[in-house]
Amino acid sequence: RKCDVLNRGISGYNTRWAKLILPRLIPESTSADSIVAVTIFFGANDSALKELNPKQHVPLEEYTANLKSMVQYLKSVDITADRIILITPPPLQESAWEKACLAKGDKLNRCNATTGQYAQACVQVARECSTDVLDLWTLMQKNQDFSSYLSDGLHLSAKGNSFLAAQLWSRLENKLSALPALLPYWRDVDHTNPEASLL
């Protein structure tokens, strides 16, 4: 009851494409005061191996530059660094993803070590741009068998989404705590005269 959540997750995109469409998603005319937080969650597609997935692959240096460019754009429309949260790609469970690739007639087109380099670059961009960062790649691997966080070795499972939500919530909670509730808690609604509480 405090915020609207606008999800602009676009399947298969990389930072090269996201950088181009960001001004359409958050135009300059946006009232920055109304934005509590923006998350930027890329790298799983950028880190695809160039020779096996050239369409989605973005070189590491360009990935880094694209993330910086997106942060700079947000700052240019008055979304301050303390409201920007970068999220690294999750780890890749290679054997499960290889199975998914083979089922489509493809070869394994990603590897976890490469994804880790992109995750480290994301952490470094956050440090340089003074934004918060959620290092999903490292956090998920603290659980030695992180495969349960992934549905097919690449994409998050229900458990992985819950893990991400819990980690993200710890970063959002402080930003949201001071905001007023837009509607009363249900126990506070006068059930005999709901108009008095809700209008």
Side-chain angles (χ1 to χ4, degrees), residues 93-134:
Q93 213 289 322
E94 291 176 23
S95 59
W97 183 241
E98 184 172 30
K99 198 179 292 183
C101 290
L102 291 172
K104 292 183 278 187
D106 297 328
K107 293 179 182 173
L108 177 65
N109 58 19
R110 290 166 168 80
C111 74
N112 194 39
T114 302
T115 303
Q117 293 174 343
Y118 284 70
Q120 288 173 351
C122 182
V123 169
Q124 185 59 35
V125 168
R127 193 174 295 127
E128 290 174 16
C129 295
S130 303
T131 70
D132 199 353
V133 65
L134 171 48

mmCIF file of all heavy atoms in Angstrom, residues 93-134:
data_model
loop_
_atom_site.group_PDB
_atom_site.id
_atom_site.type_symbol
_atom_site.label_atom_id
_atom_site.label_comp_id
_atom_site.label_asym_id
_atom_site.label_seq_id
_atom_site.Cartn_x
_atom_site.Cartn_y
_atom_site.Cartn_z
ATOM 1 N N GLN A 93 24.262 -22.917 -13.676
ATOM 2 C CA GLN A 93 24.478 -24.341 -13.373
ATOM 3 C C GLN A 93 24.653 -25.022 -14.729
ATOM 4 O O GLN A 93 23.690 -25.285 -15.443
ATOM 5 C CB GLN A 93 23.282 -24.896 -12.586
ATOM 6 C CG GLN A 93 23.651 -25.974 -11.578
ATOM 7 C CD GLN A 93 24.046 -27.278 -12.239
ATOM 8 O OE1 GLN A 93 23.464 -27.668 -13.229
ATOM 9 N NE2 GLN A 93 25.057 -27.939 -11.695
ATOM 10 N N GLU A 94 25.919 -25.250 -15.088
ATOM 11 C CA GLU A 94 26.250 -25.621 -16.463
ATOM 12 C C GLU A 94 25.625 -26.931 -16.930
ATOM 13 O O GLU A 94 25.133 -27.009 -18.058
ATOM 14 C CB GLU A 94 27.767 -25.654 -16.645
ATOM 15 C CG GLU A 94 28.385 -24.271 -16.570
ATOM 16 C CD GLU A 94 29.903 -24.284 -16.659
ATOM 17 O OE1 GLU A 94 30.465 -25.270 -17.197
ATOM 18 O OE2 GLU A 94 30.525 -23.308 -16.200
ATOM 19 N N SER A 95 25.615 -27.950 -16.101
ATOM 20 C CA SER A 95 25.102 -29.246 -16.578
ATOM 21 C C SER A 95 23.613 -29.169 -16.900
ATOM 22 O O SER A 95 23.156 -29.720 -17.902
ATOM 23 C CB SER A 95 25.396 -30.358 -15.571
ATOM 24 O OG SER A 95 24.802 -30.065 -14.311
ATOM 25 N N ALA A 96 22.849 -28.454 -16.066
ATOM 26 C CA ALA A 96 21.411 -28.313 -16.320
ATOM 27 C C ALA A 96 21.174 -27.458 -17.563
ATOM 28 O O ALA A 96 20.311 -27.784 -18.388
ATOM 29 C CB ALA A 96 20.717 -27.696 -15.107
ATOM 30 N N TRP A 97 21.946 -26.370 -17.725
ATOM 31 C CA TRP A 97 21.751 -25.517 -18.892
ATOM 32 C C TRP A 97 22.194 -26.235 -20.172
ATOM 33 O O TRP A 97 21.575 -26.079 -21.227
ATOM 34 C CB TRP A 97 22.468 -24.177 -18.732
ATOM 35 C CG TRP A 97 22.229 -23.256 -19.887
ATOM 36 C CD1 TRP A 97 23.166 -22.733 -20.734
ATOM 37 C CD2 TRP A 97 20.967 -22.753 -20.354
ATOM 38 N NE1 TRP A 97 22.570 -21.948 -21.689
ATOM 39 C CE2 TRP A 97 21.211 -21.941 -21.479
ATOM 40 C CE3 TRP A 97 19.650 -22.914 -19.926
ATOM 41 C CZ2 TRP A 97 20.202 -21.292 -22.186
ATOM 42 C CZ3 TRP A 97 18.635 -22.278 -20.621
ATOM 43 C CH2 TRP A 97 18.908 -21.481 -21.734
ATOM 44 N N GLU A 98 23.235 -27.044 -20.073
ATOM 45 C CA GLU A 98 23.675 -27.813 -21.245
ATOM 46 C C GLU A 98 22.562 -28.759 -21.708
ATOM 47 O O GLU A 98 22.305 -28.897 -22.902
ATOM 48 C CB GLU A 98 24.946 -28.605 -20.933
ATOM 49 C CG GLU A 98 25.487 -29.342 -22.148
ATOM 50 C CD GLU A 98 26.840 -29.978 -21.907
ATOM 51 O OE1 GLU A 98 27.122 -30.362 -20.746
ATOM 52 O OE2 GLU A 98 27.616 -30.101 -22.868
ATOM 53 N N LYS A 99 21.888 -29.376 -20.744
ATOM 54 C CA LYS A 99 20.775 -30.266 -21.067
ATOM 55 C C LYS A 99 19.670 -29.495 -21.804
ATOM 56 O O LYS A 99 19.108 -29.970 -22.799
ATOM 57 C CB LYS A 99 20.224 -30.893 -19.775
ATOM 58 C CG LYS A 99 19.370 -32.126 -19.973
ATOM 59 C CD LYS A 99 18.894 -32.688 -18.637
ATOM 60 C CE LYS A 99 20.034 -33.261 -17.824
ATOM 61 N NZ LYS A 99 19.579 -33.873 -16.558
ATOM 62 N N ALA A 100 19.364 -28.275 -21.332
ATOM 63 C CA ALA A 100 18.351 -27.438 -21.980
ATOM 64 C C ALA A 100 18.793 -27.038 -23.387
ATOM 65 O O ALA A 100 17.980 -27.015 -24.320
ATOM 66 C CB ALA A 100 18.070 -26.201 -21.134
ATOM 67 N N CYS A 101 20.073 -26.736 -23.548
ATOM 68 C CA CYS A 101 20.597 -26.367 -24.869
ATOM 69 C C CYS A 101 20.522 -27.549 -25.831
ATOM 70 O O CYS A 101 20.071 -27.405 -26.973
ATOM 71 C CB CYS A 101 22.046 -25.881 -24.751
ATOM 72 S SG CYS A 101 22.248 -24.292 -23.935
ATOM 73 N N LEU A 102 20.968 -28.711 -25.367
ATOM 74 C CA LEU A 102 20.965 -29.907 -26.216
ATOM 75 C C LEU A 102 19.551 -30.262 -26.658
ATOM 76 O O LEU A 102 19.337 -30.697 -27.794
ATOM 77 C CB LEU A 102 21.611 -31.082 -25.485
ATOM 78 C CG LEU A 102 23.122 -30.971 -25.244
ATOM 79 C CD1 LEU A 102 23.616 -32.095 -24.332
ATOM 80 C CD2 LEU A 102 23.884 -30.981 -26.570
ATOM 81 N N ALA A 103 18.566 -30.052 -25.775
ATOM 82 C CA ALA A 103 17.169 -30.351 -26.113
ATOM 83 C C ALA A 103 16.677 -29.471 -27.265
ATOM 84 O O ALA A 103 15.747 -29.851 -27.987
ATOM 85 C CB ALA A 103 16.280 -30.163 -24.885
ATOM 86 N N LYS A 104 17.322 -28.303 -27.449
ATOM 87 C CA LYS A 104 16.954 -27.400 -28.542
ATOM 88 C C LYS A 104 17.899 -27.555 -29.732
ATOM 89 O O LYS A 104 17.857 -26.769 -30.676
ATOM 90 C CB LYS A 104 16.987 -25.942 -28.067
ATOM 91 C CG LYS A 104 15.905 -25.606 -27.048
ATOM 92 C CD LYS A 104 15.926 -24.134 -26.662
ATOM 93 C CE LYS A 104 16.982 -23.890 -25.620
ATOM 94 N NZ LYS A 104 16.986 -22.548 -25.053
ATOM 95 N N GLY A 105 18.791 -28.557 -29.655
ATOM 96 C CA GLY A 105 19.742 -28.786 -30.745
ATOM 97 C C GLY A 105 20.934 -27.853 -30.728
ATOM 98 O O GLY A 105 21.627 -27.695 -31.732
ATOM 99 N N ASP A 106 21.177 -27.209 -29.572
ATOM 100 C CA ASP A 106 22.300 -26.272 -29.439
ATOM 101 C C ASP A 106 23.373 -26.853 -28.531
ATOM 102 O O ASP A 106 23.138 -27.806 -27.792
ATOM 103 C CB ASP A 106 21.814 -24.941 -28.836
ATOM 104 C CG ASP A 106 20.812 -24.232 -29.719
ATOM 105 O OD1 ASP A 106 20.914 -24.353 -30.956
ATOM 106 O OD2 ASP A 106 19.918 -23.549 -29.165
ATOM 107 N N LYS A 107 24.548 -26.213 -28.563
ATOM 108 C CA LYS A 107 25.626 -26.555 -27.638
ATOM 109 C C LYS A 107 25.518 -25.660 -26.406
ATOM 110 O O LYS A 107 24.862 -24.615 -26.450
ATOM 111 C CB LYS A 107 26.986 -26.323 -28.301
ATOM 112 C CG LYS A 107 27.289 -27.255 -29.450
ATOM 113 C CD LYS A 107 28.653 -26.915 -30.030
ATOM 114 C CE LYS A 107 28.973 -27.807 -31.218
ATOM 115 N NZ LYS A 107 30.213 -27.382 -31.893
ATOM 116 N N LEU A 108 26.205 -26.053 -25.336
ATOM 117 C CA LEU A 108 26.280 -25.210 -24.136
ATOM 118 C C LEU A 108 26.839 -23.847 -24.547
ATOM 119 O O LEU A 108 27.945 -23.768 -25.083
ATOM 120 C CB LEU A 108 27.176 -25.860 -23.075
ATOM 121 C CG LEU A 108 27.409 -25.062 -21.794
ATOM 122 C CD1 LEU A 108 26.108 -24.892 -21.020
ATOM 123 C CD2 LEU A 108 28.465 -25.745 -20.922
ATOM 124 N N ASN A 109 26.065 -22.769 -24.330
ATOM 125 C CA ASN A 109 26.458 -21.455 -24.852
ATOM 126 C C ASN A 109 26.804 -20.438 -23.769
ATOM 127 O O ASN A 109 26.878 -19.244 -24.034
ATOM 128 C CB ASN A 109 25.367 -20.907 -25.772
ATOM 129 C CG ASN A 109 24.024 -20.784 -25.071
ATOM 130 O OD1 ASN A 109 23.946 -20.769 -23.853
ATOM 131 N ND2 ASN A 109 22.957 -20.694 -25.847
ATOM 132 N N ARG A 110 26.984 -20.920 -22.542
ATOM 133 C CA ARG A 110 27.371 -20.054 -21.435
ATOM 134 C C ARG A 110 28.248 -20.872 -20.483
ATOM 135 O O ARG A 110 28.166 -22.089 -20.476
ATOM 136 C CB ARG A 110 26.143 -19.552 -20.662
ATOM 137 C CG ARG A 110 25.277 -18.551 -21.407
ATOM 138 C CD ARG A 110 23.927 -18.388 -20.708
ATOM 139 N NE ARG A 110 23.154 -17.258 -21.183
ATOM 140 C CZ ARG A 110 22.430 -17.248 -22.286
ATOM 141 N NH1 ARG A 110 22.374 -18.328 -23.047
ATOM 142 N NH2 ARG A 110 21.749 -16.172 -22.644
ATOM 143 N N CYS A 111 29.029 -20.185 -19.658
ATOM 144 C CA CYS A 111 29.743 -20.903 -18.588
ATOM 145 C C CYS A 111 29.770 -20.031 -17.338
ATOM 146 O O CYS A 111 29.768 -18.794 -17.429
ATOM 147 C CB CYS A 111 31.132 -21.353 -19.024
ATOM 148 S SG CYS A 111 32.360 -20.083 -19.155
ATOM 149 N N ASN A 112 29.771 -20.667 -16.192
ATOM 150 C CA ASN A 112 29.635 -19.940 -14.934
ATOM 151 C C ASN A 112 30.819 -19.021 -14.654
ATOM 152 O O ASN A 112 30.648 -17.938 -14.102
ATOM 153 C CB ASN A 112 29.425 -20.917 -13.766
ATOM 154 C CG ASN A 112 28.949 -20.197 -12.523
ATOM 155 O OD1 ASN A 112 28.141 -19.274 -12.599
ATOM 156 N ND2 ASN A 112 29.454 -20.603 -11.369
ATOM 157 N N ALA A 113 32.022 -19.449 -15.034
ATOM 158 C CA ALA A 113 33.196 -18.606 -14.784
ATOM 159 C C ALA A 113 33.075 -17.281 -15.542
ATOM 160 O O ALA A 113 33.396 -16.207 -15.014
ATOM 161 C CB ALA A 113 34.472 -19.344 -15.187
ATOM 162 N N THR A 114 32.588 -17.339 -16.781
ATOM 163 C CA THR A 114 32.405 -16.121 -17.576
ATOM 164 C C THR A 114 31.316 -15.252 -16.945
ATOM 165 O O THR A 114 31.479 -14.033 -16.807
ATOM 166 C CB THR A 114 32.035 -16.477 -19.029
ATOM 167 O OG1 THR A 114 33.072 -17.294 -19.573
ATOM 168 C CG2 THR A 114 31.869 -15.230 -19.882
ATOM 169 N N THR A 115 30.205 -15.872 -16.543
ATOM 170 C CA THR A 115 29.138 -15.118 -15.876
ATOM 171 C C THR A 115 29.691 -14.419 -14.638
ATOM 172 O O THR A 115 29.332 -13.281 -14.344
ATOM 173 C CB THR A 115 27.970 -16.051 -15.507
ATOM 174 O OG1 THR A 115 27.507 -16.701 -16.690
ATOM 175 C CG2 THR A 115 26.823 -15.285 -14.885
ATOM 176 N N GLY A 116 30.594 -15.095 -13.932
ATOM 177 C CA GLY A 116 31.221 -14.511 -12.745
ATOM 178 C C GLY A 116 32.013 -13.257 -13.066
ATOM 179 O O GLY A 116 32.036 -12.300 -12.274
ATOM 180 N N GLN A 117 32.660 -13.219 -14.226
ATOM 181 C CA GLN A 117 33.403 -12.016 -14.625
ATOM 182 C C GLN A 117 32.437 -10.846 -14.835
ATOM 183 O O GLN A 117 32.740 -9.703 -14.466
ATOM 184 C CB GLN A 117 34.186 -12.286 -15.911
ATOM 185 C CG GLN A 117 35.311 -13.282 -15.739
ATOM 186 C CD GLN A 117 35.968 -13.628 -17.073
ATOM 187 O OE1 GLN A 117 35.413 -13.376 -18.152
ATOM 188 N NE2 GLN A 117 37.155 -14.206 -16.995
ATOM 189 N N TYR A 118 31.284 -11.131 -15.413
ATOM 190 C CA TYR A 118 30.278 -10.085 -15.616
ATOM 191 C C TYR A 118 29.702 -9.630 -14.272
ATOM 192 O O TYR A 118 29.455 -8.449 -14.067
ATOM 193 C CB TYR A 118 29.185 -10.572 -16.570
ATOM 194 C CG TYR A 118 29.639 -10.577 -18.021
ATOM 195 C CD1 TYR A 118 30.590 -11.487 -18.484
ATOM 196 C CD2 TYR A 118 29.130 -9.659 -18.932
ATOM 197 C CE1 TYR A 118 31.016 -11.491 -19.799
ATOM 198 C CE2 TYR A 118 29.544 -9.643 -20.257
ATOM 199 C CZ TYR A 118 30.496 -10.561 -20.689
ATOM 200 O OH TYR A 118 30.920 -10.553 -21.996
ATOM 201 N N ALA A 119 29.512 -10.577 -13.367
ATOM 202 C CA ALA A 119 29.025 -10.225 -12.031
ATOM 203 C C ALA A 119 30.024 -9.311 -11.322
ATOM 204 O O ALA A 119 29.636 -8.301 -10.718
ATOM 205 C CB ALA A 119 28.773 -11.492 -11.214
ATOM 206 N N GLN A 120 31.308 -9.637 -11.423
ATOM 207 C CA GLN A 120 32.344 -8.800 -10.798
ATOM 208 C C GLN A 120 32.360 -7.405 -11.420
ATOM 209 O O GLN A 120 32.532 -6.400 -10.720
ATOM 210 C CB GLN A 120 33.723 -9.454 -10.952
ATOM 211 C CG GLN A 120 33.913 -10.675 -10.086
ATOM 212 C CD GLN A 120 35.217 -11.411 -10.388
ATOM 213 O OE1 GLN A 120 35.917 -11.115 -11.363
ATOM 214 N NE2 GLN A 120 35.544 -12.388 -9.558
ATOM 215 N N ALA A 121 32.161 -7.343 -12.739
ATOM 216 C CA ALA A 121 32.126 -6.039 -13.419
ATOM 217 C C ALA A 121 30.937 -5.213 -12.926
ATOM 218 O O ALA A 121 31.053 -4.005 -12.711
ATOM 219 C CB ALA A 121 32.040 -6.239 -14.932
ATOM 220 N N CYS A 122 29.804 -5.871 -12.719
ATOM 221 C CA CYS A 122 28.604 -5.187 -12.213
ATOM 222 C C CYS A 122 28.866 -4.613 -10.819
ATOM 223 O O CYS A 122 28.507 -3.468 -10.532
ATOM 224 C CB CYS A 122 27.434 -6.176 -12.195
ATOM 225 S SG CYS A 122 25.877 -5.482 -11.640
ATOM 226 N N VAL A 123 29.513 -5.396 -9.970
ATOM 227 C CA VAL A 123 29.856 -4.940 -8.615
ATOM 228 C C VAL A 123 30.788 -3.726 -8.705
ATOM 229 O O VAL A 123 30.625 -2.747 -7.967
ATOM 230 C CB VAL A 123 30.493 -6.087 -7.795
ATOM 231 C CG1 VAL A 123 31.094 -5.568 -6.489
ATOM 232 C CG2 VAL A 123 29.464 -7.175 -7.521
ATOM 233 N N GLN A 124 31.739 -3.778 -9.624
ATOM 234 C CA GLN A 124 32.690 -2.675 -9.783
ATOM 235 C C GLN A 124 32.000 -1.405 -10.283
ATOM 236 O O GLN A 124 32.282 -0.305 -9.809
ATOM 237 C CB GLN A 124 33.814 -3.086 -10.755
ATOM 238 C CG GLN A 124 34.916 -2.058 -10.901
ATOM 239 C CD GLN A 124 35.624 -1.729 -9.597
ATOM 240 O OE1 GLN A 124 35.805 -2.589 -8.737
ATOM 241 N NE2 GLN A 124 36.010 -0.469 -9.429
ATOM 242 N N VAL A 125 31.055 -1.560 -11.212
ATOM 243 C CA VAL A 125 30.300 -0.399 -11.702
ATOM 244 C C VAL A 125 29.536 0.246 -10.551
ATOM 245 O O VAL A 125 29.528 1.470 -10.398
ATOM 246 C CB VAL A 125 29.340 -0.791 -12.851
ATOM 247 C CG1 VAL A 125 28.363 0.339 -13.154
ATOM 248 C CG2 VAL A 125 30.127 -1.166 -14.096
ATOM 249 N N ALA A 126 28.908 -0.572 -9.729
ATOM 250 C CA ALA A 126 28.160 -0.045 -8.579
ATOM 251 C C ALA A 126 29.086 0.746 -7.654
ATOM 252 O O ALA A 126 28.732 1.826 -7.173
ATOM 253 C CB ALA A 126 27.487 -1.185 -7.819
ATOM 254 N N ARG A 127 30.273 0.206 -7.439
ATOM 255 C CA ARG A 127 31.243 0.888 -6.576
ATOM 256 C C ARG A 127 31.632 2.239 -7.184
ATOM 257 O O ARG A 127 31.642 3.264 -6.505
ATOM 258 C CB ARG A 127 32.487 -0.008 -6.409
ATOM 259 C CG ARG A 127 33.429 0.411 -5.303
ATOM 260 C CD ARG A 127 34.563 -0.595 -5.103
ATOM 261 N NE ARG A 127 34.055 -1.881 -4.644
ATOM 262 C CZ ARG A 127 34.321 -3.060 -5.226
ATOM 263 N NH1 ARG A 127 35.100 -3.123 -6.282
ATOM 264 N NH2 ARG A 127 33.824 -4.172 -4.739
ATOM 265 N N GLU A 128 31.919 2.239 -8.486
ATOM 266 C CA GLU A 128 32.351 3.466 -9.156
ATOM 267 C C GLU A 128 31.237 4.506 -9.258
ATOM 268 O O GLU A 128 31.503 5.701 -9.225
ATOM 269 C CB GLU A 128 32.884 3.133 -10.555
ATOM 270 C CG GLU A 128 34.203 2.378 -10.536
ATOM 271 C CD GLU A 128 34.648 1.929 -11.926
ATOM 272 O OE1 GLU A 128 34.113 2.444 -12.932
ATOM 273 O OE2 GLU A 128 35.542 1.070 -12.000
ATOM 274 N N CYS A 129 30.004 4.027 -9.382
ATOM 275 C CA CYS A 129 28.860 4.946 -9.551
ATOM 276 C C CYS A 129 28.144 5.242 -8.237
ATOM 277 O O CYS A 129 27.134 5.950 -8.226
ATOM 278 C CB CYS A 129 27.872 4.360 -10.556
ATOM 279 S SG CYS A 129 28.530 4.205 -12.225
ATOM 280 N N SER A 130 28.640 4.674 -7.143
ATOM 281 C CA SER A 130 28.069 4.894 -5.799
ATOM 282 C C SER A 130 26.625 4.433 -5.668
ATOM 283 O O SER A 130 25.830 5.037 -4.958
ATOM 284 C CB SER A 130 28.169 6.372 -5.408
ATOM 285 O OG SER A 130 29.515 6.787 -5.456
ATOM 286 N N THR A 131 26.291 3.343 -6.370
ATOM 287 C CA THR A 131 24.953 2.757 -6.232
ATOM 288 C C THR A 131 25.045 1.525 -5.339
ATOM 289 O O THR A 131 26.131 1.013 -5.075
ATOM 290 C CB THR A 131 24.368 2.328 -7.592
ATOM 291 O OG1 THR A 131 25.103 1.194 -8.079
ATOM 292 C CG2 THR A 131 24.394 3.453 -8.598
ATOM 293 N N ASP A 132 23.900 1.044 -4.920
ATOM 294 C CA ASP A 132 23.841 -0.218 -4.194
ATOM 295 C C ASP A 132 23.984 -1.350 -5.209
ATOM 296 O O ASP A 132 23.744 -1.158 -6.408
ATOM 297 C CB ASP A 132 22.497 -0.323 -3.457
ATOM 298 C CG ASP A 132 22.517 -1.341 -2.328
ATOM 299 O OD1 ASP A 132 23.521 -2.085 -2.176
ATOM 300 O OD2 ASP A 132 21.514 -1.411 -1.597
ATOM 301 N N VAL A 133 24.384 -2.525 -4.737
ATOM 302 C CA VAL A 133 24.489 -3.686 -5.620
ATOM 303 C C VAL A 133 24.062 -4.930 -4.864
ATOM 304 O O VAL A 133 24.319 -5.068 -3.662
ATOM 305 C CB VAL A 133 25.926 -3.846 -6.192
ATOM 306 C CG1 VAL A 133 26.941 -4.161 -5.095
ATOM 307 C CG2 VAL A 133 25.959 -4.912 -7.284
ATOM 308 N N LEU A 134 23.377 -5.796 -5.559
ATOM 309 C CA LEU A 134 22.989 -7.096 -5.023
ATOM 310 C C LEU A 134 23.763 -8.125 -5.837
ATOM 311 O O LEU A 134 23.479 -8.350 -7.020
ATOM 312 C CB LEU A 134 21.478 -7.285 -5.167
ATOM 313 C CG LEU A 134 20.866 -8.640 -4.872
ATOM 314 C CD1 LEU A 134 21.358 -9.224 -3.565
ATOM 315 C CD2 LEU A 134 19.356 -8.528 -4.842
#
